[in-house]
Amino acid sequence: MENRIRCYEEISSETFDTENVVTDSSSDQVDVEAVILKIFKQFEKSAEIEPEFPVIRKRVHCQLLKDYLRTLPQKYECLDASRTWIVYWVLHSLSLLNDMPDAETLSDVVKFLTLCQHDDGGYGGGPGQYPHLGTTYAAVNALSIIGTEEAYNSLDRSSLQKFLWTVRDVDGSFALHKGGEQDIRGAYCAVSIAKITNTYTDALFDKTAEWIVSCQTYEGGFAGCPGMEAHGGYAFCGIASLALLNKTHLCDVDALLRWCVNRQMRLEGGFQGRTNKLVDGCYSFWLGAAFPIISAILSQENKELLETVLFNQGALQEYVIICCQALPGGGFIDKPGKHRDVYHTCYALSGLSVAQHGTGAGDPFIVGRPSNELNRIHPLYNVAPHLAYNAVHYFIRHPPPVKDKN
Amino acid sequence: MSDSGDSDVAWTYYKDRPEWNDVTPVPEDEGPNLVVVIAHSEKFVDVYDYFRAVLQNNEKSERALHLTKDAVELNPANYTVWQYRRDLLKALGTDLRSELDYVELVIKNSPKNYQVWHHRRVLVEWLQDPSQELELTGDALMQDPKNYHAWQHRQWAIKTFGLYEKEMDFVDNLITDDVRNNSAWNQRYFIVNNHLGWSDLNVQREICYTLEKIKFIKNNESAWNYLKGVLIHDKRGLSGNAVVTSFCEELYKNKCRSPYLLAFIIDICDEAIKKGETNCLHNATRAVELCQALATKYDKIRSKYWNYMCEKFKKAQQEEENNKEKAANMDE
Ligand SMILES: [Zn+2]
């Protein structure tokens, strides 16, 4: 009952009440709601004719993604230092859509990622670029998704571990690259990389959990660094890395849960990233994925299984499918009026998957036709659960070879 | 993004510049097959071919410094270029003041970029001179009062160099402009937490300030969250502050059903239960009622969450009733 689809009337009764005090925040919100209501209205009309609506145009998205895996238009120049990210976003999206590229293409991708691997360990955003925690996380996840021996063996784990040490600070925090900025993304990427590749040691992450907890704010979410505002992307980084470190008891989970549930927009159905900001498709994942993590923590704490996720899964699916699909060309967007991009495509789909599968226990809840179902994700790594396990186990079974001294 | 197209009439490719003819450009090593290859402009390819050459040769020269400027203009998110530029500044002993002006310009063009703000921070650290940072971030926040990067840089400068003096006025103005600006509320918390301190006096003053703002608009989550944040530092807690509890009950009596108000009263009940200090207003039964009202009427999008909370309070309610029964039995 709590997951059913909302009718137009119900949605339109949720418009923002300015209480006669109009400010920049409220007028932005009112504008977005007007656009979204129009789209929901239109949708209701077409749904009367086509009862299987809404539909995810899987084939269109897959085609676009496969094209992007080869070449991207010039407007992607701004992502020239994030090409391993593009690889991950595309492969993960295709994996969710259950349409992986052929083995030959995947082998090409492994060769490309190897070119991005730096002699000092870790991966740069492109060939020859300095190693960076974000682009390394993306490369490691991409290799896990590919999941072949060639992919696993292309990773130089001895130098990777050295790289992790060079970006670690004495207080347990991590800089994104040598000489670069330091924030909670660094901590999450480092933990996730180290856990998947079996390069984790207690010493490498000494005090890291404490540092992450110092980023939890009075609102309950996590900020990029201590003192800053709670933010959806950073909240995911915070709770996911604490979970990977088995240190969630150090943070206030009830406060985090309250903050997270409040990020779901009452009219739009999607998530905002911060209090009094606008809805955005990518937070479908950053906030959405926090929920199965929180449910797992609460189950552990209360010793009573919480099999569900505590947000409105139907409303999130409505927002992503009806308002964020870029058609006819394919891809997903932040919100109506914005251009599609690979980042939003990946995280809208990832969030949609969480909205469909919840904690993974019980039957999935699929809005629209049954073929809308996507594959599941592992909420801590954001790759498919079996791909994460395969990689973890491979790297446990094959400890890093001792490097040749020559 | 700045225009990197070929409309740039005066532009001369590096490959056509005589002062660069001693350098062999290094094309991107793409491997045998196309993987996420971006269709770069000719200018982009040319500049980066020379940047790769400079990087490979580890050339530390004025012309290399100039080249990084062109590279950064084409892609301000290229952290390798910025890092190499910092290495160059150090090696060449470049005047950091002019670099400060330069990065200010880049920030104005790309205010939402990690690398540019980080570059700025390193320069300020090297110079140990934060005198322009409040103005710079102030300008960026005029353009976008919620720019996360600008706030982060501002907090860093304030914390590192102790620039708290006028910050409360700055925040006051922003909250007056837009009382829903959550970043401004967060900054308010930052100032009290790091500078003014949570003395009893400051706690009470912040509570009064916040209640005034809530009176003004009741559906403002930012103000309610701040109120809760302040009360973390009140020794009497959420449920023990009579000013706050009576303010909330007054609103409730006057038919205010803001979900944030109801949630706040639930939190008061929760604390009272945990402390064993329930009363006729704040107890498990009230919490159950409010959770149900939120789930079915005032905050339907979060019905799952409120039903979950409701179940928790029902257990507490059961205990409350058991205790009452016990007490009644004892009286007999
Ligand atoms: Zn987004």
Side-chain angles (χ1 to χ4, degrees), chain A residues 2 19 23 25 69-70 72 77 83 130 179 219 229 234 258 261 263-264 276 313, chain B residues 30 34 36-37 39 41 79 114 118 146 148 178 183 218-219 221-222 225 302 304 307:
Chain A
E2 289 171 310
E19 300 175 65
T23 67
S25 295
L69 191 57
R70 293 302 190 180
L72 297 113
E77 271 183 344
R83 288 175 64 199
Y130 290 157
E219 291 194 276
E229 184 184 2
Y234 299 136
R258 172 68 62 81
V261 294
R263 303 284 65 73
Q264 189 164 26
N276 281 330
Q313 295 164 259
Chain B
E30 293 288 10
L34 297 180
V36 292
V37 172
S41 70
Y79 59 92
Y114 285 99
H118 180 65
K146 300 177 180 178
Y148 207 88
D178 183 353
S183 306
K218 283 118 200 135
N219 276 310
E221 192 192 345
S222 296
N225 287 355
R302 274 165 276 284
K304 252 173 146 180
N307 286 332

mmCIF file of all heavy atoms in Angstrom, chain A residues 2 19 23 25 69-70 72 77 83 130 179 219 229 234 258 261 263-264 276 313, chain B residues 30 34 36-37 39 41 79 114 118 146 148 178 183 218-219 221-222 225 302 304 307:
data_model
loop_
_atom_site.group_PDB
_atom_site.id
_atom_site.type_symbol
_atom_site.label_atom_id
_atom_site.label_comp_id
_atom_site.label_asym_id
_atom_site.label_seq_id
_atom_site.Cartn_x
_atom_site.Cartn_y
_atom_site.Cartn_z
ATOM 1 N N GLU A 2 1.968 1.167 0.753
ATOM 2 C CA GLU A 2 2.813 2.349 0.836
ATOM 3 C C GLU A 2 3.629 2.543 -0.424
ATOM 4 O O GLU A 2 4.211 3.590 -0.632
ATOM 5 C CB GLU A 2 3.742 2.228 2.033
ATOM 6 C CG GLU A 2 2.993 2.362 3.332
ATOM 7 C CD GLU A 2 3.877 2.020 4.506
ATOM 8 O OE1 GLU A 2 4.521 0.970 4.483
ATOM 9 O OE2 GLU A 2 3.936 2.823 5.425
ATOM 10 N N GLU A 19 3.593 30.285 2.255
ATOM 11 C CA GLU A 19 3.140 31.033 3.435
ATOM 12 C C GLU A 19 3.277 32.536 3.207
ATOM 13 O O GLU A 19 3.597 33.297 4.117
ATOM 14 C CB GLU A 19 3.912 30.599 4.690
ATOM 15 C CG GLU A 19 3.747 29.118 5.011
ATOM 16 C CD GLU A 19 4.611 28.659 6.175
ATOM 17 O OE1 GLU A 19 4.372 29.121 7.292
ATOM 18 O OE2 GLU A 19 5.536 27.847 5.948
ATOM 19 N N THR A 23 10.847 33.680 -1.386
ATOM 20 C CA THR A 23 12.296 33.904 -1.396
ATOM 21 C C THR A 23 12.866 33.180 -2.613
ATOM 22 O O THR A 23 12.141 32.456 -3.300
ATOM 23 C CB THR A 23 12.960 33.355 -0.117
ATOM 24 O OG1 THR A 23 12.843 31.924 -0.111
ATOM 25 C CG2 THR A 23 12.325 33.927 1.135
ATOM 26 N N SER A 25 14.730 30.596 -2.779
ATOM 27 C CA SER A 25 14.547 29.144 -2.638
ATOM 28 C C SER A 25 13.132 28.736 -2.998
ATOM 29 O O SER A 25 12.918 27.749 -3.707
ATOM 30 C CB SER A 25 14.830 28.701 -1.206
ATOM 31 O OG SER A 25 16.173 28.913 -0.885
ATOM 32 N N LEU A 69 30.557 4.338 -25.173
ATOM 33 C CA LEU A 69 31.703 3.534 -24.743
ATOM 34 C C LEU A 69 32.830 3.639 -25.775
ATOM 35 O O LEU A 69 33.993 3.430 -25.449
ATOM 36 C CB LEU A 69 31.284 2.074 -24.549
ATOM 37 C CG LEU A 69 32.300 1.167 -23.850
ATOM 38 C CD1 LEU A 69 32.684 1.704 -22.480
ATOM 39 C CD2 LEU A 69 31.761 -0.251 -23.712
ATOM 40 N N ARG A 70 32.497 3.981 -27.005
ATOM 41 C CA ARG A 70 33.500 4.158 -28.061
ATOM 42 C C ARG A 70 33.885 5.627 -28.226
ATOM 43 O O ARG A 70 35.050 5.981 -28.098
ATOM 44 C CB ARG A 70 32.956 3.598 -29.390
ATOM 45 C CG ARG A 70 32.774 2.081 -29.397
ATOM 46 C CD ARG A 70 34.078 1.376 -29.095
ATOM 47 N NE ARG A 70 34.008 -0.080 -29.312
ATOM 48 C CZ ARG A 70 35.025 -0.891 -29.105
ATOM 49 N NH1 ARG A 70 36.176 -0.427 -28.665
ATOM 50 N NH2 ARG A 70 34.902 -2.191 -29.312
ATOM 51 N N LEU A 72 32.633 9.963 -27.749
ATOM 52 C CA LEU A 72 31.722 10.940 -27.152
ATOM 53 C C LEU A 72 31.837 12.266 -27.889
ATOM 54 O O LEU A 72 32.913 12.610 -28.387
ATOM 55 C CB LEU A 72 32.055 11.149 -25.683
ATOM 56 C CG LEU A 72 31.884 9.915 -24.805
ATOM 57 C CD1 LEU A 72 33.225 9.441 -24.281
ATOM 58 C CD2 LEU A 72 30.914 10.193 -23.665
ATOM 59 N N GLU A 77 34.338 17.350 -23.545
ATOM 60 C CA GLU A 77 35.718 17.783 -23.294
ATOM 61 C C GLU A 77 35.969 18.072 -21.820
ATOM 62 O O GLU A 77 37.054 17.811 -21.303
ATOM 63 C CB GLU A 77 36.024 19.040 -24.110
ATOM 64 C CG GLU A 77 36.555 18.720 -25.486
ATOM 65 C CD GLU A 77 36.936 19.967 -26.277
ATOM 66 O OE1 GLU A 77 36.518 21.078 -25.899
ATOM 67 O OE2 GLU A 77 37.650 19.812 -27.275
ATOM 68 N N ARG A 83 37.890 10.161 -17.709
ATOM 69 C CA ARG A 83 37.474 9.133 -18.680
ATOM 70 C C ARG A 83 37.283 7.759 -18.050
ATOM 71 O O ARG A 83 36.425 6.996 -18.487
ATOM 72 C CB ARG A 83 38.464 9.086 -19.846
ATOM 73 C CG ARG A 83 38.320 10.329 -20.732
ATOM 74 C CD ARG A 83 39.364 10.386 -21.821
ATOM 75 N NE ARG A 83 39.256 9.296 -22.765
ATOM 76 C CZ ARG A 83 40.249 8.911 -23.575
ATOM 77 N NH1 ARG A 83 41.427 9.523 -23.515
ATOM 78 N NH2 ARG A 83 40.073 7.918 -24.417
ATOM 79 N N TYR A 130 47.904 12.068 -13.721
ATOM 80 C CA TYR A 130 48.282 11.674 -12.360
ATOM 81 C C TYR A 130 47.212 10.759 -11.748
ATOM 82 O O TYR A 130 46.028 10.912 -12.034
ATOM 83 C CB TYR A 130 48.440 12.912 -11.470
ATOM 84 C CG TYR A 130 49.638 13.781 -11.778
ATOM 85 C CD1 TYR A 130 49.652 15.124 -11.413
ATOM 86 C CD2 TYR A 130 50.763 13.264 -12.418
ATOM 87 C CE1 TYR A 130 50.747 15.944 -11.676
ATOM 88 C CE2 TYR A 130 51.863 14.066 -12.682
ATOM 89 C CZ TYR A 130 51.853 15.408 -12.318
ATOM 90 O OH TYR A 130 52.927 16.206 -12.575
ATOM 91 N N GLY A 179 48.848 16.221 -3.309
ATOM 92 C CA GLY A 179 48.776 17.670 -3.418
ATOM 93 C C GLY A 179 47.374 18.175 -3.688
ATOM 94 O O GLY A 179 47.177 19.369 -3.894
ATOM 95 N N GLU A 219 22.277 18.328 11.256
ATOM 96 C CA GLU A 219 21.063 17.934 10.544
ATOM 97 C C GLU A 219 20.924 16.415 10.452
ATOM 98 O O GLU A 219 19.850 15.912 10.137
ATOM 99 C CB GLU A 219 21.067 18.505 9.130
ATOM 100 C CG GLU A 219 20.923 20.011 9.069
ATOM 101 C CD GLU A 219 20.597 20.452 7.656
ATOM 102 O OE1 GLU A 219 21.526 20.615 6.844
ATOM 103 O OE2 GLU A 219 19.406 20.614 7.346
ATOM 104 N N GLU A 229 27.891 21.792 5.221
ATOM 105 C CA GLU A 229 26.468 21.453 5.194
ATOM 106 C C GLU A 229 26.250 19.988 4.775
ATOM 107 O O GLU A 229 26.952 19.480 3.891
ATOM 108 C CB GLU A 229 25.799 22.394 4.177
ATOM 109 C CG GLU A 229 24.304 22.280 4.056
ATOM 110 C CD GLU A 229 23.767 23.205 2.948
ATOM 111 O OE1 GLU A 229 24.576 23.889 2.284
ATOM 112 O OE2 GLU A 229 22.539 23.219 2.760
ATOM 113 N N TYR A 234 27.761 13.302 -0.191
ATOM 114 C CA TYR A 234 28.685 13.077 0.912
ATOM 115 C C TYR A 234 28.067 12.171 1.969
ATOM 116 O O TYR A 234 28.780 11.425 2.655
ATOM 117 C CB TYR A 234 29.107 14.414 1.521
ATOM 118 C CG TYR A 234 29.831 15.308 0.537
ATOM 119 C CD1 TYR A 234 29.541 16.674 0.438
ATOM 120 C CD2 TYR A 234 30.804 14.791 -0.316
ATOM 121 C CE1 TYR A 234 30.204 17.496 -0.473
ATOM 122 C CE2 TYR A 234 31.466 15.599 -1.226
ATOM 123 C CZ TYR A 234 31.161 16.954 -1.302
ATOM 124 O OH TYR A 234 31.813 17.751 -2.200
ATOM 125 N N ARG A 258 16.513 10.187 9.650
ATOM 126 C CA ARG A 258 15.556 11.295 9.604
ATOM 127 C C ARG A 258 15.948 12.276 8.496
ATOM 128 O O ARG A 258 15.119 12.726 7.715
ATOM 129 C CB ARG A 258 15.510 12.027 10.957
ATOM 130 C CG ARG A 258 14.684 13.313 10.962
ATOM 131 C CD ARG A 258 13.199 13.090 10.781
ATOM 132 N NE ARG A 258 12.644 12.309 11.864
ATOM 133 C CZ ARG A 258 12.305 12.829 13.069
ATOM 134 N NH1 ARG A 258 12.444 14.116 13.305
ATOM 135 N NH2 ARG A 258 11.814 12.046 14.011
ATOM 136 N N VAL A 261 15.240 10.607 4.997
ATOM 137 C CA VAL A 261 13.830 10.524 4.573
ATOM 138 C C VAL A 261 13.306 11.902 4.191
ATOM 139 O O VAL A 261 12.488 12.032 3.273
ATOM 140 C CB VAL A 261 12.884 9.889 5.629
ATOM 141 C CG1 VAL A 261 13.209 8.436 5.852
ATOM 142 C CG2 VAL A 261 12.882 10.655 6.933
ATOM 143 N N ARG A 263 14.766 14.121 2.589
ATOM 144 C CA ARG A 263 15.252 14.588 1.291
ATOM 145 C C ARG A 263 14.315 14.196 0.147
ATOM 146 O O ARG A 263 14.429 14.692 -0.945
ATOM 147 C CB ARG A 263 16.670 14.041 0.993
ATOM 148 C CG ARG A 263 17.722 14.393 2.035
ATOM 149 C CD ARG A 263 18.215 15.828 1.960
ATOM 150 N NE ARG A 263 17.221 16.840 2.246
ATOM 151 C CZ ARG A 263 16.719 17.140 3.450
ATOM 152 N NH1 ARG A 263 17.100 16.515 4.521
ATOM 153 N NH2 ARG A 263 15.823 18.083 3.590
ATOM 154 N N GLN A 264 13.384 13.268 0.392
ATOM 155 C CA GLN A 264 12.467 12.897 -0.696
ATOM 156 C C GLN A 264 11.413 13.986 -0.858
ATOM 157 O O GLN A 264 10.769 14.399 0.108
ATOM 158 C CB GLN A 264 11.791 11.539 -0.423
ATOM 159 C CG GLN A 264 11.023 11.056 -1.634
ATOM 160 C CD GLN A 264 10.657 9.575 -1.583
ATOM 161 O OE1 GLN A 264 10.540 8.992 -0.506
ATOM 162 N NE2 GLN A 264 10.470 8.980 -2.753
ATOM 163 N N ASN A 276 16.068 22.265 1.489
ATOM 164 C CA ASN A 276 15.590 23.424 0.723
ATOM 165 C C ASN A 276 16.285 23.624 -0.620
ATOM 166 O O ASN A 276 16.327 24.735 -1.138
ATOM 167 C CB ASN A 276 15.685 24.720 1.548
ATOM 168 C CG ASN A 276 14.534 24.838 2.535
ATOM 169 O OD1 ASN A 276 13.440 24.334 2.278
ATOM 170 N ND2 ASN A 276 14.769 25.485 3.660
ATOM 171 N N GLN A 313 9.260 4.071 -2.519
ATOM 172 C CA GLN A 313 9.909 3.504 -3.702
ATOM 173 C C GLN A 313 9.137 3.796 -4.982
ATOM 174 O O GLN A 313 9.738 3.975 -6.041
ATOM 175 C CB GLN A 313 10.053 1.983 -3.520
ATOM 176 C CG GLN A 313 10.975 1.591 -2.380
ATOM 177 C CD GLN A 313 10.797 0.136 -1.978
ATOM 178 O OE1 GLN A 313 10.137 -0.155 -0.992
ATOM 179 N NE2 GLN A 313 11.372 -0.780 -2.735
ATOM 180 N N GLU B 30 46.037 6.266 -27.132
ATOM 181 C CA GLU B 30 44.688 5.706 -27.050
ATOM 182 C C GLU B 30 44.667 4.189 -27.138
ATOM 183 O O GLU B 30 43.607 3.588 -27.007
ATOM 184 C CB GLU B 30 43.802 6.283 -28.158
ATOM 185 C CG GLU B 30 43.520 7.765 -28.011
ATOM 186 C CD GLU B 30 42.554 8.093 -26.866
ATOM 187 O OE1 GLU B 30 42.247 7.197 -26.064
ATOM 188 O OE2 GLU B 30 42.134 9.249 -26.780
ATOM 189 N N LEU B 34 39.156 2.224 -30.100
ATOM 190 C CA LEU B 34 38.482 3.370 -29.500
ATOM 191 C C LEU B 34 37.761 2.982 -28.210
ATOM 192 O O LEU B 34 36.909 2.104 -28.209
ATOM 193 C CB LEU B 34 37.441 3.928 -30.471
ATOM 194 C CG LEU B 34 37.928 4.487 -31.811
ATOM 195 C CD1 LEU B 34 36.729 4.995 -32.610
ATOM 196 C CD2 LEU B 34 38.921 5.611 -31.572
ATOM 197 N N VAL B 36 35.926 5.290 -25.047
ATOM 198 C CA VAL B 36 35.535 6.628 -24.563
ATOM 199 C C VAL B 36 36.441 7.748 -25.108
ATOM 200 O O VAL B 36 36.948 8.569 -24.357
ATOM 201 C CB VAL B 36 35.435 6.712 -23.020
ATOM 202 C CG1 VAL B 36 34.286 5.881 -22.507
ATOM 203 C CG2 VAL B 36 36.725 6.317 -22.309
ATOM 204 N N VAL B 37 36.561 7.784 -26.402
ATOM 205 C CA VAL B 37 37.355 8.845 -27.040
ATOM 206 C C VAL B 37 36.459 10.060 -27.252
ATOM 207 O O VAL B 37 35.375 9.953 -27.824
ATOM 208 C CB VAL B 37 37.926 8.361 -28.386
ATOM 209 C CG1 VAL B 37 38.574 9.521 -29.137
ATOM 210 C CG2 VAL B 37 38.945 7.254 -28.148
ATOM 211 N N ALA B 39 35.522 13.615 -28.866
ATOM 212 C CA ALA B 39 35.764 14.328 -30.121
ATOM 213 C C ALA B 39 36.269 15.735 -29.814
ATOM 214 O O ALA B 39 35.514 16.699 -29.789
ATOM 215 C CB ALA B 39 34.478 14.378 -30.943
ATOM 216 N N SER B 41 38.216 19.378 -30.008
ATOM 217 C CA SER B 41 38.505 20.390 -31.028
ATOM 218 C C SER B 41 39.989 20.296 -31.383
ATOM 219 O O SER B 41 40.789 19.744 -30.624
ATOM 220 C CB SER B 41 38.195 21.776 -30.482
ATOM 221 O OG SER B 41 39.151 22.114 -29.483
ATOM 222 N N TYR B 79 42.947 18.097 -13.099
ATOM 223 C CA TYR B 79 43.749 18.236 -11.873
ATOM 224 C C TYR B 79 45.232 18.053 -12.139
ATOM 225 O O TYR B 79 46.072 18.614 -11.440
ATOM 226 C CB TYR B 79 43.257 17.230 -10.816
ATOM 227 C CG TYR B 79 43.337 15.802 -11.296
ATOM 228 C CD1 TYR B 79 44.471 15.028 -11.057
ATOM 229 C CD2 TYR B 79 42.303 15.242 -12.041
ATOM 230 C CE1 TYR B 79 44.559 13.738 -11.529
ATOM 231 C CE2 TYR B 79 42.388 13.953 -12.520
ATOM 232 C CZ TYR B 79 43.517 13.196 -12.266
ATOM 233 O OH TYR B 79 43.622 11.927 -12.763
ATOM 234 N N TYR B 114 36.093 21.771 -8.282
ATOM 235 C CA TYR B 114 36.948 21.456 -7.135
ATOM 236 C C TYR B 114 38.352 22.039 -7.291
ATOM 237 O O TYR B 114 38.948 22.554 -6.368
ATOM 238 C CB TYR B 114 37.076 19.939 -6.973
ATOM 239 C CG TYR B 114 35.855 19.266 -6.396
ATOM 240 C CD1 TYR B 114 34.939 18.630 -7.211
ATOM 241 C CD2 TYR B 114 35.628 19.258 -5.018
ATOM 242 C CE1 TYR B 114 33.820 17.999 -6.685
ATOM 243 C CE2 TYR B 114 34.518 18.634 -4.477
ATOM 244 C CZ TYR B 114 33.612 18.000 -5.318
ATOM 245 O OH TYR B 114 32.516 17.379 -4.785
ATOM 246 N N HIS B 118 40.698 24.639 -4.907
ATOM 247 C CA HIS B 118 41.842 24.046 -4.222
ATOM 248 C C HIS B 118 43.122 24.810 -4.558
ATOM 249 O O HIS B 118 43.968 25.044 -3.684
ATOM 250 C CB HIS B 118 41.994 22.575 -4.602
ATOM 251 C CG HIS B 118 43.159 21.920 -3.929
ATOM 252 N ND1 HIS B 118 43.216 21.758 -2.563
ATOM 253 C CD2 HIS B 118 44.323 21.428 -4.418
ATOM 254 C CE1 HIS B 118 44.361 21.186 -2.251
ATOM 255 N NE2 HIS B 118 45.049 20.980 -3.348
ATOM 256 N N LYS B 146 24.250 29.260 -2.395
ATOM 257 C CA LYS B 146 24.382 27.890 -1.895
ATOM 258 C C LYS B 146 25.577 27.167 -2.515
ATOM 259 O O LYS B 146 25.663 25.950 -2.420
ATOM 260 C CB LYS B 146 23.084 27.112 -2.163
ATOM 261 C CG LYS B 146 21.866 27.746 -1.488
ATOM 262 C CD LYS B 146 20.576 27.030 -1.808
ATOM 263 C CE LYS B 146 19.397 27.721 -1.109
ATOM 264 N NZ LYS B 146 18.104 27.088 -1.431
ATOM 265 N N TYR B 148 28.511 25.282 -2.764
ATOM 266 C CA TYR B 148 29.184 24.472 -1.740
ATOM 267 C C TYR B 148 30.681 24.761 -1.688
ATOM 268 O O TYR B 148 31.280 24.860 -0.624
ATOM 269 C CB TYR B 148 28.941 22.993 -2.038
ATOM 270 C CG TYR B 148 28.987 22.099 -0.823
ATOM 271 C CD1 TYR B 148 27.841 21.878 -0.069
ATOM 272 C CD2 TYR B 148 30.159 21.475 -0.440
ATOM 273 C CE1 TYR B 148 27.860 21.046 1.043
ATOM 274 C CE2 TYR B 148 30.190 20.648 0.671
ATOM 275 C CZ TYR B 148 29.043 20.439 1.413
ATOM 276 O OH TYR B 148 29.084 19.621 2.514
ATOM 277 N N ASP B 178 17.004 35.296 2.327
ATOM 278 C CA ASP B 178 16.319 34.049 2.009
ATOM 279 C C ASP B 178 16.374 33.165 3.241
ATOM 280 O O ASP B 178 17.361 32.470 3.477
ATOM 281 C CB ASP B 178 17.000 33.357 0.814
ATOM 282 C CG ASP B 178 16.273 32.077 0.410
ATOM 283 O OD1 ASP B 178 15.343 31.658 1.130
ATOM 284 O OD2 ASP B 178 16.651 31.497 -0.632
ATOM 285 N N SER B 183 22.321 26.725 3.606
ATOM 286 C CA SER B 183 23.766 26.919 3.729
ATOM 287 C C SER B 183 24.068 28.037 4.722
ATOM 288 O O SER B 183 25.035 27.956 5.487
ATOM 289 C CB SER B 183 24.373 27.279 2.375
ATOM 290 O OG SER B 183 24.034 26.333 1.409
ATOM 291 N N LYS B 218 6.392 28.573 8.953
ATOM 292 C CA LYS B 218 6.394 27.362 9.774
ATOM 293 C C LYS B 218 6.886 26.138 9.019
ATOM 294 O O LYS B 218 7.257 25.132 9.615
ATOM 295 C CB LYS B 218 4.985 27.087 10.304
ATOM 296 C CG LYS B 218 4.602 27.973 11.459
ATOM 297 C CD LYS B 218 3.403 28.838 11.117
ATOM 298 C CE LYS B 218 3.310 30.040 12.026
ATOM 299 N NZ LYS B 218 3.021 31.287 11.263
ATOM 300 N N ASN B 219 6.867 26.223 7.694
ATOM 301 C CA ASN B 219 7.255 25.051 6.898
ATOM 302 C C ASN B 219 8.705 25.105 6.450
ATOM 303 O O ASN B 219 9.049 24.583 5.397
ATOM 304 C CB ASN B 219 6.356 24.933 5.669
ATOM 305 C CG ASN B 219 5.067 24.226 6.006
ATOM 306 O OD1 ASN B 219 5.082 23.150 6.610
ATOM 307 N ND2 ASN B 219 3.956 24.829 5.666
ATOM 308 N N GLU B 221 12.136 23.853 6.855
ATOM 309 C CA GLU B 221 12.912 22.782 7.486
ATOM 310 C C GLU B 221 14.254 23.274 8.013
ATOM 311 O O GLU B 221 14.756 22.796 9.032
ATOM 312 C CB GLU B 221 13.126 21.625 6.494
ATOM 313 C CG GLU B 221 13.672 20.372 7.181
ATOM 314 C CD GLU B 221 14.156 19.323 6.201
ATOM 315 O OE1 GLU B 221 13.832 19.413 5.002
ATOM 316 O OE2 GLU B 221 14.880 18.415 6.637
ATOM 317 N N SER B 222 14.864 24.231 7.302
ATOM 318 C CA SER B 222 16.177 24.734 7.723
ATOM 319 C C SER B 222 16.136 25.251 9.155
ATOM 320 O O SER B 222 17.019 24.946 9.963
ATOM 321 C CB SER B 222 16.631 25.871 6.797
ATOM 322 O OG SER B 222 16.815 25.403 5.499
ATOM 323 N N ASN B 225 15.575 22.377 11.672
ATOM 324 C CA ASN B 225 16.792 21.580 11.855
ATOM 325 C C ASN B 225 17.802 22.321 12.719
ATOM 326 O O ASN B 225 18.484 21.723 13.558
ATOM 327 C CB ASN B 225 17.423 21.252 10.493
ATOM 328 C CG ASN B 225 16.629 20.205 9.732
ATOM 329 O OD1 ASN B 225 15.659 19.657 10.252
ATOM 330 N ND2 ASN B 225 17.035 19.917 8.505
ATOM 331 N N ARG B 302 6.321 10.285 3.261
ATOM 332 C CA ARG B 302 7.176 9.571 4.230
ATOM 333 C C ARG B 302 6.376 8.594 5.083
ATOM 334 O O ARG B 302 6.790 8.237 6.190
ATOM 335 C CB ARG B 302 7.895 10.594 5.128
ATOM 336 C CG ARG B 302 9.184 11.112 4.525
ATOM 337 C CD ARG B 302 9.707 12.351 5.203
ATOM 338 N NE ARG B 302 9.071 13.544 4.675
ATOM 339 C CZ ARG B 302 9.371 14.091 3.490
ATOM 340 N NH1 ARG B 302 10.296 13.565 2.732
ATOM 341 N NH2 ARG B 302 8.736 15.167 3.067
ATOM 342 N N LYS B 304 5.959 5.451 5.077
ATOM 343 C CA LYS B 304 6.663 4.256 5.520
ATOM 344 C C LYS B 304 7.517 4.529 6.751
ATOM 345 O O LYS B 304 7.549 3.745 7.693
ATOM 346 C CB LYS B 304 7.601 3.788 4.411
ATOM 347 C CG LYS B 304 7.155 2.551 3.718
ATOM 348 C CD LYS B 304 8.074 2.334 2.561
ATOM 349 C CE LYS B 304 8.310 0.912 2.270
ATOM 350 N NZ LYS B 304 9.218 0.795 1.109
ATOM 351 N N ASN B 307 5.275 5.179 9.782
ATOM 352 C CA ASN B 307 4.702 3.932 10.288
ATOM 353 C C ASN B 307 5.742 3.118 11.049
ATOM 354 O O ASN B 307 5.440 2.491 12.064
ATOM 355 C CB ASN B 307 4.124 3.098 9.141
ATOM 356 C CG ASN B 307 2.824 3.692 8.631
ATOM 357 O OD1 ASN B 307 2.107 4.346 9.378
ATOM 358 N ND2 ASN B 307 2.531 3.481 7.358
#
